Amino acid sequence: IFLVFQSSCSFFKKDTPDISFTPIEKFIDNNPQKKYVLQSGDTLDIKFFYMPELNENVTIRPDGLISLLLIEDIHAEGMAAGELKEKLYERYSSVLKKPDLNVIVRKFSGQKIYVGGEVARPGMIKIDGKISIIQSIMQAGGFKDTAETRNVILIRNSTG
């Protein structure tokens, strides 16, 4: 655990530069309600409770669509599994009496991040699950001696 404490007392000489602290809470994701957003390459199981012959295992295509029996292609990319389930229920309601179904994400296409700048191996890193900033830098071989570690910038895609 990394802790940063800030004291109101000054132990520095007058010519020492000011040091600013960022509260550790700023780096912690406190949103447990965040849902996984489906993306191209994810593999889904579509399970029908009363009509197992319609059960399918599908992969989200690069255009974001999936193809299923009895309905037209449906856009799945960018939705949570629950949202897709609702959309499928609506579509299947026009052709089935009781379209009770579920959407299960079986395989994730793999998230990727990009680490650039003064690291040993800049580029894309495939990840599974969560990864911290320092872990991603270490995956990229760590900082070079020429890196200005006080000027690290984090850019997040916060869609979904």
Side-chain angles (χ1 to χ4, degrees), residues 20-36:
S20 62
F21 295 92
T22 301
I24 194 109
E25 297 84 28
K26 294 250 184 204
F27 298 104
I28 299 172
D29 186 2
N30 290 322
N31 185 0
Q33 302 300 320
K34 197 179 258 187
K35 296 177 183 165
Y36 177 75

Side-chain angles (χ1 to χ4, degrees), residues 7 9-10 33-34 36 38-39 46 50 76 81 83-84 88 93-95 104 107 118 121 127 131 142-143 147 154-155:
S7 172
C9 302
S10 177
Q33 302 300 320
K34 197 179 258 187
Y36 177 75
L38 298 172
Q39 60 184 340
I46 312 298
Y50 303 111
E83 294 169 323
L84 178 59
L88 289 172
S93 290
S94 65
V95 292
I104 303 163
K107 185 178 174 199
E118 292 294 301
R121 293 181 306 276
I127 60 170
I131 187 170
F143 288 116
L154 169 65
I155 302 171

